Amino acid sequence: MMAARSLLLAAALLAATPVTALAQASEDAIAVPVLRANVTVEGDVVRIGDMIDNAGTSAQIAIYRAPDLGTTGSLPTAQVIAALQAHRVIGVDTRDIKAVAVTRAARTLEGKEIESQVAHTLEHRNGLGDAANLNLTFDRDVQDVRLEASNTGALQPVSVRYEPRNGRFDVSFEIANDANGARTKLRFTGIAIETVEATVLTRGVERNEVLRSSDVVTERRPKAEVGGDAAARNRAVGMQMRKQLRAGQVVKVADLAKPDLVQRDDNVTLIYESAGLYLTMRGKALENGTDGDTVNVLNLQSKRTVSGVVLGRGQVAISIATPRLRTATDATSTIGATETAAPVSVAATSNAQTSPKAE
């Protein structure tokens, strides 16, 4: 009886053995290390677990230094296999890969983005205007900055200094790091100048000259140079210069005047207009005048000097004084005044005629 039971147990163990062996073989097949064609790492080293799938306990072993931040390097497959074998990782399925591309992940801050952040940090500080109007000159050229991918925080200003007397700025930022808590620090120094749009002459102009569209362009100039009196281009064109200016100079509102529509010694048209009457005469301007100015004009027909208001180019409106006519009301008023004195003398005469003679 005991012998029979031992035989049955042995038979059962023998029957189970092939199943266990197959299961182990299946696990071994799944666990075969497989080479990766493209690898991305975030640290400064490349580990076995980065290079192959199913690295097992060898996954954390560092075998290469990572390329520079934001760059990609290439490793021949034969070199990778040799490095893996040195750490007893064998039987790697290379999948006929000739080389492995290794990229180091990074966060890139573009130079333009940094300049914009500095400008917004300086905005409205110590008398400065909007960030869009600030012209920044950095002590060193601002290049793209590559940071560890774990530096995901915003550019946070921690120190900001600006000196209005010389325009110097000194700005420091910190960027949070999710991986180790250590913040990345960036510092930028230079000169900030606030600029404004200004109308600039493309050529030299003389006094009393009228500006044409081709005579001016719009440029950004330092606010300290222009001041608060800069003339807008659309308001400068067609205006008359009060003084001589050189090419490249900024045109200010004080430099401009309305153009003279009438100039001294020019022939003009004198216009007289009233209800139902419109007369024109020839005249000669005795002084300059713009729209709405009162000027003296010589009437070439009467040779008399008259005053008029400039209406347009070469046109002056005049008014003529007319004598006042006597009306019926005026006559009545005169008669009334005469009759007020008459009763005195008439009464005296009447009394002399009707008084009885004393006897």
Side-chain angles (χ1 to χ4, degrees):
M1 183 64 70
M2 291 294 295
R5 289 180 179 178
S6 297
L7 289 172
L8 290 174
L9 179 60
L13 288 173
L14 288 173
T17 298
V19 177
T20 305
L22 289 173
Q24 183 64 41
S26 177
E27 289 179 4
D28 291 343
I30 295 175
V32 171
V34 179
L35 189 66
R36 294 172 178 166
N38 297 285
V39 175
T40 299
V41 299
E42 293 191 358
D44 55 0
V45 295
V46 180
R47 305 177 191 277
I48 292 178
D50 298 322
M51 302 298 292
I52 61 174
D53 293 320
N54 306 321
T57 57
S58 302
Q60 297 303 312
I61 299 175
I63 54 175
Y64 291 109
R65 290 184 58 187
D68 293 337
L69 286 167
T71 63
T72 299
S74 180
L75 292 170
T77 299
Q79 182 180 338
V80 175
I81 295 301
L84 293 174
Q85 289 176 347
H87 294 279
R88 299 180 181 179
V89 178
I90 59 176
V92 177
D93 181 3
T94 62
R95 298 185 298 169
D96 293 329
I97 296 171
K98 303 302 182 183
V100 178
V102 181
T103 301
R104 186 171 180 183
R107 175 188 177 185
T108 300
L109 297 177
E110 295 184 355
K112 292 295 184 182
E113 179 186 355
I114 294 172
E115 292 179 7
S116 176
Q117 288 290 340
V118 172
H120 280 89
T121 301
L122 294 172
E123 186 176 46
H124 302 154
R125 185 174 293 271
N126 292 345
L128 286 176
D130 295 340
N133 296 330
L134 300 184
N135 182 33
L136 305 182
T137 302
F138 291 83
D139 292 335
R140 292 183 296 178
D141 290 341
V142 180
Q143 305 292 337
D144 293 351
V145 176
R146 290 189 174 94
L147 306 173
E148 296 284 354
S150 55
N151 286 275
T152 59
L155 276 171
Q156 185 67 37
V158 293
S159 175
V160 183
R161 288 195 292 272
Y162 172 72
E163 177 52 59
R165 290 178 298 177
N166 55 20
R168 295 286 306 172
F169 68 82
D170 187 336
V171 178
S172 295
F173 297 98
E174 285 187 353
I175 303 174
N177 190 313
D178 296 338
N180 54 27
R183 294 175 174 266
T184 298
K185 296 184 178 181
L186 300 174
R187 181 185 178 191
F188 303 95
T189 59
I191 296 176
I193 297 176
E194 184 175 0
T195 63
V196 296
E197 283 193 350
T199 301
V200 180
L201 291 171
T202 59
R203 66 177 183 87
V205 294
E206 302 295 328
R207 182 176 180 273
N208 292 330
E209 192 170 352
V210 176
L211 292 179
R212 296 171 298 179
S213 178
S214 59
D215 294 335
V216 291
V217 293
T218 300
E219 294 181 1
R220 295 204 71 87
R221 291 290 182 89
K223 185 178 179 180
E225 171 192 335
V226 177
D229 192 31
R233 185 180 186 278
N234 61 343
R235 294 182 176 272
V237 174
M239 298 295 281
Q240 185 171 299
M241 297 299 300
R242 292 182 183 271
K243 62 181 182 181
Q244 182 185 36
L245 290 179
R246 300 186 306 275
Q249 284 189 279
V250 174
V251 180
K252 300 184 178 182
V253 174
D255 299 331
L256 303 173
K258 290 182 180 179
D260 288 334
L261 301 179
V262 170
Q263 294 189 343
R264 181 183 175 88
D265 295 331
D266 280 357
N267 290 327
V268 297
T269 300
L270 297 176
I271 300 173
Y272 171 74
E273 186 175 7
S274 65
L277 183 63
Y278 183 86
L279 298 176
T280 61
M281 294 161 279
R282 292 186 302 111
K284 182 179 181 180
L286 301 180
E287 54 190 339
N288 296 350
T290 187
D291 185 28
D293 286 351
T294 300
V295 296
N296 289 321
V297 181
L298 176 65
N299 186 330
L300 295 179
Q301 184 174 352
S302 66
K303 304 301 181 183
R304 296 180 60 185
T305 298
V306 296
S307 294
V309 177
V310 177
L311 291 181
R313 186 164 297 281
Q315 295 183 332
V316 179
I318 62 172
S319 58
I320 301 175
T322 56
R324 184 168 177 240
L325 300 177
R326 291 183 55 154
T327 62
T329 303
D330 294 335
T332 304
S333 300
T334 304
I335 294 172
T338 303
E339 291 178 346
T340 53
V344 176
S345 58
V346 170
T349 305
S350 177
N351 289 338
Q353 292 176 349
T354 59
S355 297
K357 182 179 179 182
E359 296 180 353

